[in-house]
Every structure is written in structure tokens, then in C-alpha cells.
Amino acid sequence: MLFGDRLLREKTAAFRQLATMLAAGMTLAEALSVLSARVHEPRLRAFFVRAARQASGGRRFSDILAEYPQLFPPLNLAMVQAAEHSGRIEEIFNRLADYHEQEYRVRLMLSRETFYPKVLAAAIFVIPVAGNAIVRWLTEGTGAAVISILRALALLALVGGIPALALYLAYRSLARSEAGRAALDDVKLRLPLLGKVVHRSAMARFSRALATLYRAGVAMEKSLELAGDAAANARFRVVAREAAGLVRHGSSLGDALVAAGLADEMVLGMVRTGEQTGNLDETMDHIAAYYEDEAATATRQMAVAIVPVAVIVAAIVVGVMVLRFYTGLYAGLDGQ
């Protein structure tokens, strides 16, 4: 996540600077050349070096982006293509920067809200290992403490490492196919506590992407497909394509979202209001903000539910360690 966040931050800054330099009258090739010296992320820097060289030869920026799908997903490409067709390239670059900036804020919020449970989960392992080593050190010496730590690490590798590796390999195997990814993401949506967080986060990303694409001038059916990809959930991707097909055959956006299972009554009412007033992009931004708040609330609720369990487990572990310490201490005194 750390490296992904760094890439996202630098992409946001790069799009913002591109918009500023183009608005100031610089050519695209000149702006890309300046960015190649300012960007620090290695993959992004290599892209801008090559892009500046190719743009100076007259190649379109969207054609260059299309060769780097790992750095610039289809949503980025579609918006740049729309900008080139409409001539609003500075405006679209600013909108891309806004979109990525909001995505980074959501990631930061989720990371912040789950920090304490992560610390507690780590403490559940560290406390017994460290505590047992201290008890052995006090009662039996340094060698016994070192052996205790090594045994704990070996047990962790055996009990936790092998099952974790097996689960990871099974996950990777399933994730190779579209059906497998849809099944895995469907399971995530059904998990207690976590499922609500996954659903709210996916809806927020979907709504924000749809608003950004529609505002950039991308056709609605294409916007729905790309927003489904941006949701980062295979189940959302499938139903978003169903909604795009319905729109393509004449359905309104609200009816298509309901038929595909992407909208409840509240969202439907807001979308229909946006369609009637001509402010659909602003409406989708409001829906995204609502689901971002809901995702934050669901994450806090999950953390609140996890913390008491972790505290109880930690208390039991500490109690067992204290009991073992005094048992060993009294046994040593009796032996004397």
C-alpha cells in the first residue's frame, strides 16, 4: 500500500502541474519534459521521459498513455481522450488531479481508522513472545530466553505461515479468472463487518469515477463501464456493465442502476433528480461523499468491534504469563 500511495500522490501532483503549465502557455512536450525532472517515482519518471520525447515528435498524449496500463488505468485514458477531442485538456487534467486526490484521502482515512486494530493484532503476538522470553530469562537465563523466541518464531511459521501461504496461493489461483475474482469479491461483500466497509468503499469509488468521467464528456455507457473498473471489485464491474448495456438500449441511468442492483431508493431518488435538473455530475459527487462517510463509519464500527476482543485476548495472554512467572519463581524458591 505504501508504494501504491506514493504513486498515487505523484500522479496527482503531475496532473495538477500539467494543467498549470499548459494553462501558462507551455507546449505539452515542454511540460512533460519539466515533469520528467520533478517526478521521483521511478516508473512515473521513466514514463515522462519517454512521453516528452514522443510528444515532441507529434504523438498524441492518449496514445502514449495507452502503452502504460499499469500506471494509467482505462479511466485516465478515457478522460485524456475526451480532453483531446473537446480541447479542454487543462480542465480535464485538473479533474484527474481532483479525482486521484480524493482517492488518496479515502485510502488515508481507511488506513488511519484501522491503525489501532492492526497494532492490537500485532501486540497479541508480540506480548506473549516477549513476555515468555522475559520470564525464561529471569528464571533460567539468557540462553533459555533465546531458545524461547526461536521456538515461538518456528511455531508461528508452522501454524500461521503454511496456512497463510496456502490461502495466498489459492487466492492467486482464483484471481486469475474473471469468474474467480467475482466469486472472491462476492465473498468479501458478504463477510460480517468487513463486507459493509468493502461495499461502501466500492460504491464511493464507483460514484466518484462516474461523476468525473461524465463531467469530462465521456459517453454515459462508457463512463459506467470505466466506473465499474474503478470500483476495484469484480462484482461491481459485472453489474456496471449490465447497467451500461441497459443505458445503451435506452434506459435512464437511474432505472439502469436499480435494475443492475447498484442503487437503493435513496440513490435512485438522487440520480433521478440529477437527471431532471441536468446536474448529474454534481449529484454523483454528493453520492460519492455520502458513501465515503459511510465507509468511514463502517470502518470505525469494525474497529470498535475488534478492539474489545483483542483486549480480552491480550489480557488472557498477560494473565497466563504472570501466572507462569510466579509459578516458576516459587518453584525456584522451593528448590533452594
Side-chain angles (χ1 to χ4, degrees):
M1 181 66 79
L2 176 63
F3 297 107
D5 286 348
R6 179 187 176 188
L7 176 62
L8 189 59
R9 287 199 309 270
E10 295 218 19
K11 277 174 61 177
T12 302
F15 281 127
R16 189 79 70 195
Q17 291 176 57
L18 268 176
T20 301
M21 288 186 283
L22 291 174
M26 294 178 69
T27 66
L28 179 61
E30 290 170 341
L32 291 171
S33 180
V34 170
L35 277 177
S36 67
R38 291 183 178 179
V39 169
H40 301 291
E41 208 281 332
R43 293 170 297 168
L44 210 54
R45 176 184 288 179
F47 163 77
F48 281 119
V49 168
R50 184 180 178 191
R53 186 168 57 250
Q54 294 189 354
S56 64
R59 196 173 183 202
R60 290 194 310 175
F61 189 48
S62 60
D63 293 336
I64 305 171
L65 281 183
E67 297 179 358
Y68 293 83
Q70 298 302 319
L71 289 177
F72 302 98
L75 181 146
N76 291 172
L77 179 59
M79 289 186 66
V80 171
Q81 288 172 336
E84 290 172 342
H85 288 135
S86 65
R88 298 181 297 151
I89 194 159
E90 299 95 342
E91 177 188 343
I92 300 304
F93 280 150
N94 269 322
R95 293 197 186 284
L96 270 170
D98 290 340
Y99 172 77
H100 288 305
E101 187 174 17
Q102 186 61 32
E103 183 182 356
Y104 175 69
R105 286 175 183 169
V106 171
R107 286 191 190 183
L108 203 61
M109 176 272 297
L110 292 174
S111 178
R112 183 177 62 248
E113 295 294 344
T114 56
F115 176 75
Y116 187 46
K118 290 174 185 174
V119 171
L120 279 177
I124 289 174
F125 166 72
V126 172
I127 288 174
V129 172
N132 190 53
I134 292 171
V135 170
R136 298 292 294 275
W137 175 60
L138 291 173
T139 57
E140 301 177 41
T142 304
V146 172
I147 292 173
S148 171
I149 293 173
L150 293 176
R151 283 179 177 172
L153 293 175
L155 182 63
L156 176 66
L158 181 64
V159 175
I162 294 176
L165 179 60
L167 285 173
Y168 172 75
L169 293 175
Y171 181 89
R172 288 292 300 271
S173 177
L174 279 172
R176 287 186 184 133
S177 67
E178 184 69 25
R181 286 192 294 272
L184 287 171
D185 286 341
D186 197 42
V187 169
K188 292 177 189 176
L189 290 169
R190 296 175 186 275
L191 288 173
L193 298 177
L194 181 62
K196 186 183 290 187
V197 176
V198 172
H199 177 266
R200 301 297 191 271
S201 300
M203 275 300 299
R205 286 191 293 267
F206 171 81
S207 303
R208 186 74 66 188
L210 185 60
T212 304
L213 288 159
Y214 182 73
R215 189 180 288 123
V218 180
M220 178 54 71
E221 55 268 27
K222 183 66 173 177
S223 295
L224 281 166
E225 292 176 355
L226 293 172
D229 293 338
N233 185 284
R235 182 59 60 190
F236 271 75
R237 188 178 302 117
V238 170
V239 295
R241 276 163 170 69
E242 292 176 6
L246 293 171
V247 169
R248 194 174 290 114
H249 288 91
S251 292
S252 67
L253 176 62
D255 292 339
L257 291 178
V258 171
L262 277 170
D264 55 20
E265 288 300 320
M266 183 205 74
V267 172
L268 174 61
M270 293 178 70
V271 169
R272 282 180 173 165
T273 300
E275 288 178 312
Q276 291 167 3
T277 60
N279 294 321
L280 185 58
D281 51 347
E282 293 181 13
T283 299
M284 295 307 298
D285 272 334
H286 290 316
I287 293 172
Y290 166 76
Y291 276 112
E292 284 162 2
D293 290 340
E294 285 288 294
T297 301
T299 304
R300 283 192 290 269
Q301 289 172 344
M302 181 177 68
V304 168
I306 291 173
V307 167
V309 176
V311 169
I312 291 171
V313 172
I316 293 172
V317 169
V318 171
V320 170
M321 287 191 312
V322 171
L323 183 62
R324 287 189 62 187
F325 172 74
Y326 281 108
T327 301
L329 181 63
Y330 289 138
L333 291 174
D334 290 340
Q336 294 177 357

